[in-house]
Amino acid sequence: MNISKKLMIIVILTVVEVSITIFSAFEIAKGARFHQLNFLHLKYINQLTKSVNSIQEDTPIDLDQIELDILAIKQQPIDCLQEINTLNQIVMKIIETYQAVTICETDINVANDILLSLDNHRRGDLDRKRFLVSLNDALHKFNLHSVNFEEPIRKTVEFILLTLIPLVLMISLFNIILISYLSRTISSSIHNLTSLLSSKTGTDVDLDSDLEKNTTSELRALIIAARQRIKGDLLNLENNLELQDIVNAQTSSLQQANDELAQFAYRASHDLKSPLSGAKSLAQFVIKDIEAGNTEEASSNAGVIYQQMEKLENLVVDILLLAKADIGSEDVKAIDFEQLIVDMEERLAWLMKGNPCVLETSILLSRPVVSEKARFTQVIENLVSNSLKYYDKNKKSSYVKCSIFDSSDKLIIEVKDNGIGIPEKHHHEIFDMFKRFHVETTTGSGLGMALVKKHIEYLQGTILFESSTAGTMFKVTLPMDDL
Amino acid sequence: MSRIKPPILIIDDDEVDRYILKRLLKEAELDFNIFEKQDGQEALEFLENYEANVKNYPDEFPPILIFLDINMPRVNGLQFLEEFVTLRLTIEIESCVVMMFSSSEREEEKEKIMAHDFVKGYLVKGAFDAESLKDKVLAVIDYLIE
């Protein structure tokens, strides 16, 4: 049974109890009213008796006064009958006090009879003596009825008191017990639910079956609604947390980018300043040398200034390339790798001149590669020039092998050398900016490998390397479909 | 009385910077016996090879002053200083002082560098002339070694 039904029963029982109590009060009050009417009846009978006793032998009878008295007497049984309803009649019949009703009716009949006699006497149809006899007879009957009326009324009231009051008491008692029981069941089902909810955590399936067994439908509905609400709230919370995570991740990536930028700015400004301040000092020397007439030294230093400026120019170009590597270009077309190699060899002529290192290239492509040529040029040129720079003087023959080919939708660029290799402790720094690991060669900005990595990341490819004292191999893998 | 030229060591990967420093020392009339190393690694190897160098360069080793660049490949100036701290415990080089010789001056780095008691000065490349170089050098070493 659910809680609302239990509450409805409590309400109904209370209404019944109150109704019966009020009904009992009315019935008991009615008993008192009957006694009152009977008392009034006796008073009017007494009044009539006085009128009758005052009749003198020879004087005429005050018929009007007597008629009024009789009508007054007749009124109480009429009132009495009006008070008695059907339910009273049934009860009176059961407890055998119905004679009270009969007495009233008889009393009315007696009154009607004597009123008829009075009319007859007034008209002269009934003589004085016979009228007085019937008047006395009526008086006697009235008195008798009044006396007899008391007993059934007393019995009836007594019955009402004896039955209704215990009934009310019983119903009240029952009501108290039932209400206590129902409220206990209501509070215990709430208590059950509370302990059920506080004991189990995380096991939704068990909770569902326990809810089915241990709770009323309304509480179940309440729990389901609450759960939906909490789920919704949790979902919002989760979303908020996710957003928070995204914000945190973006903040830290921005922080990292910021740190990288600061590092870059420091290194770039350092490397830009270095050749400038060198050239400045050298220019002062040149002035002094010319003044001193030492043209040979002046000329030599002017040459160094030129080299410093060239170094500066290369650095600026590399920094610009690095900045541009993050931005896509519209210059996309099929790349002629043969021509790219030829152009590169021309640019690296200074490095290859007098270099014992042999550059071998092989290009084997099943279909054209359509992309930004500049990126490929920079990747290949940086890898090849590094291999050329760091050849191993102690080896008999030095080589750099550059292979460009495709294999299962991947474009592979492989640059392999038998150079001096990259010391293992520097492997993690290979793609960092401004890093050079060998002192013998001072050319280069230290930005080459950072630039290579940027291009490969832009093209969504990967770069791997293996390096030992036997040599170094870089392998670039790029997805062909995206090219 | 033959005067011995005091030995010094210049550690810098940039040949031009080394040349400029040498020339400024010459203009300042500071006559040194100059060793040059291209980075911290080379310099450490040179100093670690103490016994042999003492023999190879009688009266010219170890150097009494080191000019040290910061940005160098392999072992940079900062790393060199760390190594130099331990090196000082194993070889007789306590009297050798260091003067930084760099094109940049980062405050947090400088603080860390100057915390070493053997670092006696900080020269910024291109920001000094022969005269000021002379003052600075003479302030930290006893030039007139007999």
Side-chain angles (χ1 to χ4, degrees):
Chain A
M1 200 193 291
N2 61 34
I3 293 170
S4 63
K5 276 183 188 156
K6 286 175 185 170
L7 289 173
M8 190 52 79
I9 287 173
I10 290 171
V11 169
I12 290 167
L13 279 172
T14 310
V15 168
V16 168
E17 186 195 338
V18 169
S19 309
I20 290 174
T21 309
I22 291 169
F23 173 75
S24 308
F26 272 108
E27 290 308 301
I28 290 165
K30 206 182 264 177
R33 170 93 174 122
F34 287 154
H35 283 302
Q36 197 188 9
L37 283 172
N38 199 23
F39 182 74
L40 209 59
H41 200 52
L42 278 170
K43 182 189 153 194
Y44 291 126
I45 291 167
N46 196 26
Q47 213 167 303
L48 182 64
T49 309
K50 274 184 187 164
S51 303
V52 171
N53 287 343
S54 66
I55 296 168
Q56 302 293 314
E57 274 289 320
D58 302 319
T59 50
I61 303 165
D62 187 353
L63 287 175
D64 290 342
Q65 182 58 46
I66 286 171
E67 192 178 13
L68 277 173
D69 288 347
I70 293 167
L71 282 172
I73 290 167
K74 185 187 166 188
Q75 193 53 45
Q76 288 89 49
I78 290 169
D79 288 348
C80 209
L81 286 177
Q82 272 173 355
E83 291 277 342
I84 294 168
N85 55 32
T86 320
L87 182 67
N88 297 147
Q89 285 177 14
I90 292 166
V91 171
M92 285 167 110
K93 272 177 187 163
I94 291 167
I95 61 166
E96 295 171 345
T97 56
Y98 193 70
Q99 67 249 47
V101 178
T102 323
I103 288 168
C104 286
E105 287 166 352
T106 317
D107 219 35
I108 294 164
N109 288 336
V110 171
N112 287 339
D113 283 347
I114 194 68
L115 284 172
L116 195 71
S117 301
L118 192 133
D119 278 351
N120 286 339
H121 176 65
R122 201 177 262 151
R123 285 202 305 273
D125 288 349
L126 188 70
D127 60 29
R128 179 182 167 110
K129 194 183 170 187
R130 282 171 77 182
F131 170 66
L132 281 173
V133 168
S134 32
L135 192 62
N136 275 317
D137 185 40
L139 258 177
H140 175 69
K141 277 177 180 165
F142 285 143
N143 262 318
L144 192 67
H145 287 159
S146 239
V147 172
N148 288 344
F149 185 73
E150 272 302 295
E151 180 61 16
I153 291 304
R154 190 194 56 77
K155 243 175 113 182
T156 307
V157 170
E158 196 177 72
F159 172 78
I160 290 167
L161 283 172
L162 283 177
T163 52
L164 285 184
I165 288 172
L167 185 67
V168 166
L169 285 175
M170 269 169 63
I171 288 173
S172 299
L173 199 66
F174 174 72
N175 216 354
I176 288 164
I177 291 166
L178 195 67
I179 287 170
S180 307
Y181 167 73
L182 290 178
S183 55
R184 266 195 68 176
T185 62
I186 292 168
S187 69
S188 84
S189 59
I190 291 171
H191 178 76
N192 274 349
L193 183 62
T194 309
S195 57
L196 199 67
L197 288 177
S198 49
S199 66
K200 306 255 171 124
T201 46
T203 51
D204 267 11
V205 185
D206 280 348
L207 190 63
D208 280 344
S209 64
D210 280 354
L211 276 177
E212 197 69 40
K213 272 183 255 164
N214 298 328
T215 54
T216 65
S217 59
E218 287 147 314
L219 288 177
R220 213 155 46 229
L222 172 75
I223 292 302
I224 289 163
R227 205 158 55 178
Q228 295 290 342
R229 178 59 192 270
I230 290 166
K231 259 187 199 168
D233 287 355
L234 280 178
L235 205 65
N236 279 339
L237 196 67
E238 235 166 68
N239 286 342
N240 285 346
L241 286 177
E242 266 171 36
L243 280 177
Q244 189 72 49
D245 283 349
I246 291 169
V247 169
N248 287 344
Q250 284 186 344
T251 308
S252 82
S253 102
L254 277 177
Q255 184 66 49
Q256 202 190 335
N258 209 21
D259 292 349
E260 274 173 19
L261 191 64
Q263 178 71 13
F264 174 80
Y266 168 70
R267 294 304 312 252
S269 63
H270 170 268
D271 282 28
L272 288 169
K273 195 186 165 194
S274 178
L276 269 179
S277 60
K280 191 179 113 188
S281 298
L282 288 167
Q284 279 176 333
F285 297 157
V286 170
I287 294 165
K288 281 180 190 167
D289 288 339
I290 290 171
E291 279 169 0
N294 190 352
T295 47
E296 205 176 312
E297 184 80 9
S299 166
S300 154
N301 280 340
V304 179
I305 292 174
Y306 177 78
Q307 282 167 17
Q308 292 288 96
M309 291 299 110
E310 212 169 33
K311 196 172 154 187
L312 193 60
E313 190 183 19
N314 287 337
L315 179 60
V316 171
V317 167
D318 277 358
I319 289 171
L320 288 175
L321 289 177
L322 198 63
K324 266 171 34 185
D326 282 333
I327 307 158
S329 160
E330 307 220 325
D331 188 18
V332 172
K333 55 189 173 197
I335 298 168
D336 181 351
F337 282 98
E338 309 277 354
Q339 188 60 45
L340 186 150
I341 297 289
V342 170
D343 293 345
M344 178 185 76
E345 283 176 340
E346 236 168 71
R347 277 194 305 276
L348 295 180
W350 64 275
L351 194 56
M352 293 169 82
K353 195 179 154 193
N355 192 323
C357 206
V358 179
L359 173 63
E360 296 169 32
T361 54
S362 86
I363 299 161
L364 207 69
L365 290 169
S366 64
R367 59 187 169 100
V369 175
V370 180
S371 187
E372 293 170 48
K373 187 185 168 192
R375 292 184 190 278
F376 286 84
T377 306
Q378 287 164 33
V379 168
I380 296 166
E381 191 171 317
N382 270 298
L383 293 174
V384 169
S385 69
N386 276 344
S387 287
L388 288 170
K389 276 181 206 168
Y390 302 114
Y391 73 93
D392 192 341
K393 292 172 184 125
N394 299 325
K395 283 175 188 140
K396 256 192 218 163
S397 57
S398 292
Y399 65 83
V400 180
K401 288 177 183 166
C402 175
S403 320
I404 300 162
F405 57 96
D406 63 324
S407 159
S408 55
D409 277 348
K410 304 274 186 210
L411 175 66
I412 316 281
I413 300 169
E414 208 175 79
V415 178
K416 198 176 168 186
D417 65 49
N418 63 343
I420 53 177
I422 302 156
E424 200 173 337
K425 61 176 175 175
H426 294 306
H427 282 190
H428 68 284
E429 302 175 309
I430 281 177
F431 299 107
D432 288 358
M433 289 185 281
F434 302 103
K435 289 280 176 187
R436 282 181 284 121
F437 306 121
H438 298 285
V439 283
E440 289 77 9
T441 318
T442 53
T443 54
S445 59
L447 292 174
M449 291 309 288
L451 185 62
V452 167
K453 193 177 167 230
K454 269 211 170 194
H455 284 313
I456 287 160
E457 275 173 2
Y458 181 85
L459 297 168
Q460 298 180 330
T462 55
I463 181 162
L464 299 170
F465 69 92
E466 282 169 19
S467 187
S468 69
T469 48
T472 305
M473 192 271 283
F474 278 94
K475 186 177 180 184
V476 176
T477 308
L478 301 165
M480 280 282 257
D481 293 340
D482 298 341
L483 297 175
Chain B
M1 192 177 94
S2 69
R3 216 181 130 267
I4 300 162
K5 289 195 281 184
I8 65 160
L9 172 61
I10 299 175
I11 310 171
D12 196 322
D13 61 324
D14 193 328
E15 196 187 343
V16 175
D17 287 340
R18 291 201 304 268
Y19 168 80
I20 292 165
L21 184 60
K22 282 189 289 180
R23 171 138 182 183
L24 286 172
L25 288 169
K26 200 172 143 195
E27 281 183 13
E29 291 168 336
L30 291 166
D31 199 11
F32 287 123
N33 190 356
I34 299 170
F35 292 102
E36 291 178 50
K37 297 296 161 195
Q38 296 192 66
D39 73 340
Q41 179 74 34
E42 246 182 37
L44 286 170
E45 282 164 10
F46 174 67
L47 294 173
E48 279 162 0
N49 201 11
Y50 188 82
E51 302 294 338
N53 284 327
V54 169
K55 273 182 202 161
N56 290 343
Y57 311 102
D59 300 329
E60 293 173 10
F61 190 86
I64 58 161
L65 173 63
I66 296 172
F67 286 99
L68 179 64
D69 184 23
I70 296 174
N71 292 294
M72 289 181 291
R74 302 205 294 185
V75 175
N76 67 27
L78 296 173
Q79 292 163 330
F80 174 85
L81 288 174
E82 300 300 325
E83 294 291 324
F84 192 64
V85 172
T86 46
L87 197 62
R88 277 161 59 89
L89 302 174
T90 56
I91 62 171
E92 284 171 45
I93 201 162
E94 284 90 355
S95 58
C96 177
V97 293
V98 174
M99 187 163 284
M100 302 310 292
F101 178 56
S102 172
S103 59
S104 61
E105 220 181 343
R106 268 211 293 196
E107 279 312 311
E108 64 265 40
E109 258 179 15
K110 192 174 174 183
E111 210 171 289
K112 207 170 144 192
I113 289 163
M114 299 313 283
H116 295 289
D117 56 0
F118 52 82
V119 177
K120 298 291 186 190
Y122 202 111
L123 297 172
V124 177
K125 288 177 183 174
F128 59 91
D129 56 12
E131 204 60 32
S132 61
L133 177 66
K134 187 174 184 173
D135 291 346
K136 282 188 176 166
V137 169
L138 291 182
V140 297
I141 60 160
D142 184 8
Y143 179 66
L144 300 166
I145 297 169
E146 290 299 314

